[in-house]
Amino acid sequence: MSEIHFNKEKGSQIKLFTPGPVYVPERILKEMSKPNDTHRSKPYAEMHQLVEEGLQKLLYTSDTILISTSSATGLMEACVRNLVKEDEKALFFSIGAFGDRWYKIGVNNGKIAVKESVEWGKAITPEVAQEALNKDKYSVVFIQSNETSTGVYNPINEVIPVIKDSGALVCVDATSSMAGIKVEVDKLGIDVCLASVQKALTIPPGLSVCSISSAAIEKVPQVKNRGFYFDFLDLVKRNEKHQTPATPPIPQIRALAAQLDYILNHEGLDKRFERHIQLGKRTRMWARDVNFEMFPEKGYESNTVSTMKNSLNIDIAKMVSTLLDKGYRIVNGYGDLKNKTFRIGHMGEITIKELEEMLKVLTDIVSNLRMSQ
Ligand SMILES: Cc1ncc(COP(=O)(O)O)c(C=O)c1O
């Protein structure tokens, strides 16, 4: 039985198969524990620049890269505050909890926010996008690549060209897919592509990153009431010196610089994306073999997080807690989907072998729960 309580000496021994924060290997934790100079020093600026260059390669872009001392929600709010003028309309596509969150950020910031949603489990297709865009003129459009609550991956390679044709700026929340699923920022013309680092980038939480296009940067001065902490102009200006306006989580940035080097030069991007494709496929095969239906519509299943319907009608909370006793954490469904679905995260550094070991244990737990029904 693994340690499931706070352990002052050893830390958590649980292997996380979660949609973030994810399991972080020792090599990254060690990187975080190295001593650092201050955030106004030359060594810091060099490290910051390594992160910028690494993320440009990861996102296939020459756009500016910003580093934010916040989780992804902070950058989601920054996009709303910095890019939508008070008399403009913003369109928020929502296919689940995080699409709803972005819309709510729009509303709470007093913006003219319009939400276009589809039934949870479905994706925004180019047809759905076109229909929504035909209804009105929008200046900025917000969309998730991967919706972590439903395990749906929007077909952004087809949807973003439709949005760009409308003349709007487009912001993509790639939180639960960046570094797991290929996103080509320049090819698609994405204006802001953001994520926090505790998901497929595999860094402990506390930091988020984004690319930002010159068109987006040029718009910022026209927008009033941008606030202070998340003012893109301030972030961009400081970034020119490879710094952040306020004190950043330096250990996370050090770890991210090392992790990007690992991703780009050790594992390699193609191999990394292929590993995530295989992790997704293997999880869906397991679900089929055990008789759990996938929650997402066929063809739109995510390769970083799988959401399964509770089609066996078993006690999901018990399944999750029994697996936890064996040293692995998966998670129940999100919000209203609790007990109706459950989720397995398979992103970051998880290998096929590790996934299979966990699924083997989970299969036994599911059979026992079915027998005791
Ligand atoms: C798709 C998506 N967007 C946004 C968020 C919010 O991220 P954070 O918790 O880093 O603010 C999450 C978190 O799970 C997410 O999965």
Side-chain angles (χ1 to χ4, degrees):
M1 176 132 85
S2 285
E3 186 64 71
I4 60 170
H5 297 289
F6 176 68
N7 187 316
K8 267 202 282 187
E9 282 74 40
K10 287 201 281 188
S12 175
Q13 302 299 297
I14 299 294
K15 201 83 194 247
L16 302 176
F17 285 83
T18 45
V22 302
Y23 167 75
V24 181
E26 200 66 31
R27 83 178 145 78
I28 294 176
L29 296 173
K30 274 198 185 137
E31 199 60 47
M32 290 184 69
S33 70
K34 291 182 183 165
N36 287 295
D37 206 336
T38 79
H39 61 300
R40 300 294 178 231
S41 66
K42 195 161 173 280
Y44 172 82
E46 285 170 4
M47 186 168 83
H48 184 117
Q49 192 172 357
L50 285 178
V51 170
E52 292 173 64
E53 290 165 359
L55 285 168
Q56 282 175 328
K57 289 193 185 120
L58 177 73
L59 295 173
Y60 301 86
T61 186
S62 54
D63 282 352
T64 298
I65 299 290
L66 299 178
I67 297 178
S68 170
T69 306
S70 69
S71 70
T73 308
L75 278 180
M76 288 164 83
E77 181 144 19
C79 290
V80 167
R81 294 199 70 139
N82 283 275
L83 299 177
V84 185
K85 290 200 254 176
E86 53 189 329
D87 55 347
E88 288 179 340
K89 289 183 185 155
L91 178 62
F92 297 81
F93 283 115
S94 176
I95 61 166
F98 293 102
D100 285 358
R101 177 181 296 191
W102 223 349
Y103 167 69
K104 199 166 175 206
I105 292 172
V107 172
N108 286 9
N109 278 289
K111 305 291 179 182
I112 309 173
V114 176
K115 181 167 78 164
E116 279 287 338
S117 42
V118 290
E119 191 189 329
W120 285 27
K122 294 198 184 308
I124 300 294
T125 59
E127 296 73 32
V128 171
Q130 190 62 69
E131 206 179 308
L133 290 160
N134 287 344
K135 290 183 197 163
D136 214 331
K137 177 80 191 149
Y138 298 105
S139 62
V140 191
V141 176
F142 300 86
I143 188 166
Q144 266 66 37
S145 50
N146 200 67
E147 173 57 64
T148 324
S149 57
T150 59
V152 169
Y153 193 82
N154 273 323
I156 57 163
N157 290 345
E158 286 86 52
V159 171
I160 288 176
V162 173
I163 301 172
K164 292 302 290 183
D165 274 354
S166 77
L169 292 179
V170 59
C171 300
V172 175
D173 168 11
T175 297
S176 54
S177 58
M178 190 184 286
I181 299 169
K182 186 177 193 175
V183 179
E184 292 177 273
V185 165
D186 283 359
K187 196 167 150 194
L188 291 173
I190 298 173
D191 291 288
V192 177
C193 184
L194 68 91
S196 37
V197 297
Q198 74 273 14
K199 311 248 180 197
L201 279 163
T202 330
I203 307 293
L207 185 71
S208 54
V209 293
C210 72
S211 64
I212 179 164
S213 70
S214 48
I217 295 173
E218 276 161 30
K219 179 158 185 200
V220 179
Q222 304 164 32
V223 185
K224 288 191 202 138
N225 296 321
R226 301 193 299 273
F228 183 83
Y229 196 65
F230 292 114
D231 183 349
F232 274 155
L233 275 201
D234 218 16
L235 280 153
V236 168
K237 198 164 150 238
R238 272 292 185 177
N239 201 64
E240 282 161 13
K241 292 186 180 162
H242 312 297
Q243 291 182 0
T244 52
T247 319
I250 303 174
Q252 261 87 349
I253 295 171
R254 169 178 286 282
L256 184 55
Q259 172 67 343
L260 285 164
D261 180 53
Y262 174 87
I263 291 173
L264 296 165
N265 303 318
H266 183 82
E267 183 170 25
L269 281 184
D270 290 345
K271 274 200 185 149
R272 189 172 184 88
F273 296 139
E274 182 55 31
R275 177 167 56 81
H276 282 84
I277 291 171
Q278 295 308 323
L279 287 164
K281 273 194 188 156
R282 182 66 196 91
T283 309
R284 293 193 288 279
M285 267 168 60
W286 171 82
R288 192 195 57 203
D289 292 349
V290 182
N291 272 327
F292 279 122
E293 261 176 68
M294 295 304 294
F295 184 72
E297 188 180 354
K298 198 161 175 41
Y300 299 104
E301 301 97 337
S302 159
N303 283 325
T304 51
V305 54
S306 292
T307 302
M308 269 76 54
K309 286 186 198 166
N310 184 9
S311 32
L312 295 174
N313 206 17
I314 57 170
D315 184 341
I316 296 289
K318 180 95 182 131
M319 179 184 83
V320 170
S321 68
T322 313
L323 187 65
L324 190 57
D325 284 343
K326 307 270 182 208
Y328 301 100
R329 187 186 289 284
I330 59 170
V331 291
N332 208 321
Y334 193 99
D336 290 345
L337 293 178
K338 197 168 178 181
N339 299 324
K340 295 183 193 140
T341 66
F342 66 97
R343 294 173 297 157
I344 297 177
H346 34 77
M347 62 179 98
E349 296 309 312
I350 288 174
T351 62
I352 295 281
K353 186 168 169 280
E354 287 166 332
L355 177 71
E356 289 190 333
E357 281 164 6
M358 185 280 288
L359 291 175
K360 198 159 171 278
V361 178
L362 186 57
T363 307
D364 289 344
I365 294 172
V366 172
S367 342
N368 287 339
L369 283 171
R370 289 189 78 183
M371 278 198 289
S372 63
Q373 264 175 342

